[in-house]
Amino acid sequence: MSRAKRWDRHVVLATLLGMGLTWFYWATLGEMVKRWSTDPRYAHGYLVPIFALALLWIRRDRFAALATRSNWGGVLLIGAAVALRMAGAYIYLSWLETVSLLPAIAGLFVLVWGWPSLRWSWPAIAFLIFMVPLPYRLEGAMAHPLQRVATKVSTYALQTMGFPALAAGNVIHLNEVELGVVEACSGLSMLFTFFALASGVVMVIRRPWLDKVLIIASAIPIALIVNMIRITVTGVLHETVGSRLANLVFHDLAGWLMMPMAMGLLWLELELLTRLFLEPAPAVARLSPLDLMGNAPGRTRASRSR
């Protein structure tokens, strides 16, 4: 069978299996889309599948070099995904049902193109984890500490700039204003979005592994720093300009400016890593004295005369 016909057969098989998985996960996909539409912390969920497809396209040269062949091992992965989804439904854990979609997609690739196809597709499949909402219990456990950190650091920054700020719980007391750092202001939304963005950057750029690890590790502090800057600037505006402009910046403009600011900090980090970690220059071959004598002009002329 020619390669073109085999490719057409694989495309048809992948399409049919993809339609079957879509039908099987239709309710789960609907819940995810609803969460993306109503929860600003997961508004980036719409972009995650698009970036995953783009990542597959960027890595298409690696797929072309693979010896693809259908493998029944994909049935095992799909079976494990179905079992995981059934277990999530049995214990009423929707997150487990949703995350089972990832091994199901991996099983589809293995079933159609074989195990080598995972070397091409695994970054895109792994990136899909960012479209899955976290369990509510984990979100609550993360939001409270982030609120406390944002409140304390923002209060300290306002005090350093000479403003009479006092933190009581998750509320910053100023002269005539009480600035409440509620759960929506904890920075959790920024943390989710920017962590997904930093992971996408790591998958695309060509950098040493150490640089990529540092970029991923820095996503959390950068997201927290940007959120603290947002709260601090809001407090300064409340004290200097007025509550009307401060609320406008806090609720409207800050939401648009936080991500560009985080991207700017990430760019500065990349520039710093470029200057700190330099790739070693290629080693220069050392010549022995005999080699030097052999390349002497007199020796060369003598050799030619002979």
Side-chain angles (χ1 to χ4, degrees):
M1 182 180 296
S2 66
R3 184 178 179 85
K5 291 182 178 180
R6 188 166 61 250
W7 171 256
D8 292 340
R9 186 188 65 181
H10 288 173
V11 170
V12 172
L13 179 59
T15 302
L16 293 176
L17 289 174
M19 293 173 61
L21 284 180
T22 302
W23 173 81
F24 186 68
Y25 283 94
W26 185 256
T28 302
L29 293 173
E31 288 296 325
M32 270 200 303
V33 172
K34 181 180 179 180
R35 190 78 180 274
W36 300 343
S37 303
T38 57
D39 193 337
R41 291 172 295 186
Y42 299 103
H44 62 275
Y46 289 102
L47 301 177
V48 172
I50 298 175
F51 180 83
L53 292 174
L55 194 58
L56 291 177
W57 176 255
I58 294 173
R59 296 165 57 89
R60 65 188 182 278
D61 55 334
R62 303 189 183 189
F63 179 78
L66 296 177
T68 58
R69 185 178 181 181
S70 302
N71 192 301
W72 288 104
V75 177
L76 298 178
L77 287 175
I78 295 176
V82 172
L84 195 63
R85 186 168 188 262
M86 294 297 101
Y90 182 77
I91 62 177
Y92 299 102
L93 184 57
S94 59
W95 180 84
L96 204 59
E97 296 183 60
T98 307
V99 81
S100 67
L101 180 62
L102 273 62
I105 296 176
L108 185 149
F109 277 97
V110 173
L111 183 60
V112 177
W113 290 290
W115 290 105
S117 66
L118 286 183
R119 293 200 301 267
W120 162 66
S121 61
W122 78 262
I125 297 174
F127 189 77
L128 293 177
I129 191 65
F130 293 110
M131 72 178 184
V132 179
L134 292 176
Y136 287 103
R137 185 173 298 180
L138 181 58
E139 287 181 1
M142 294 174 62
H144 183 68
L146 291 176
Q147 283 178 271
R148 296 294 300 155
V149 171
T151 303
K152 289 183 178 181
V153 175
S154 300
T155 302
Y156 180 78
L158 289 168
Q159 292 173 351
T160 303
M161 289 185 289
F163 295 97
L166 178 64
N170 294 326
V171 178
I172 302 176
H173 295 272
L174 299 169
N175 276 327
E176 298 179 356
V177 178
E178 292 183 353
L179 187 60
V181 183
V182 297
E183 185 176 343
C185 309
S186 63
L188 196 60
S189 175
M190 182 65 189
L191 179 60
F192 290 163
T193 304
F194 188 67
F195 196 81
L197 182 60
S199 300
V201 170
V202 163
M203 292 179 179
V204 173
I205 62 173
R206 295 182 179 272
R207 289 273 187 150
W209 278 105
L210 178 59
D211 289 10
K212 294 185 177 183
V213 170
L214 291 175
I215 291 171
I216 292 294
S218 66
I220 297 177
I222 288 178
L224 297 180
I225 289 171
V226 170
N227 186 56
M228 294 167 193
I229 292 175
R230 173 193 184 188
I231 298 173
T232 303
V233 170
T234 302
V236 172
L237 292 176
H238 272 295
E239 290 295 304
T240 57
V241 180
S243 299
R244 183 176 180 179
L245 180 59
N247 291 329
L248 175 65
V249 172
F250 186 72
H251 294 291
D252 297 328
L253 296 181
W256 293 98
L257 296 177
M258 286 174 68
M259 186 56 66
M261 187 186 304
M263 289 298 296
L265 293 176
L266 183 60
W267 176 81
L268 290 176
E269 180 185 3
L270 290 172
E271 290 295 316
L272 181 62
L273 291 176
T274 302
R275 286 164 172 74
L276 285 179
F277 302 102
L278 300 177
E279 295 185 3
V284 179
R286 295 184 178 180
L287 299 178
S288 65
L290 293 177
D291 294 329
L292 294 175
M293 291 177 61
N295 293 328
R299 181 70 174 272
T300 304
R301 286 195 295 270
S303 301
R304 290 178 179 174
S305 64
R306 287 198 297 268

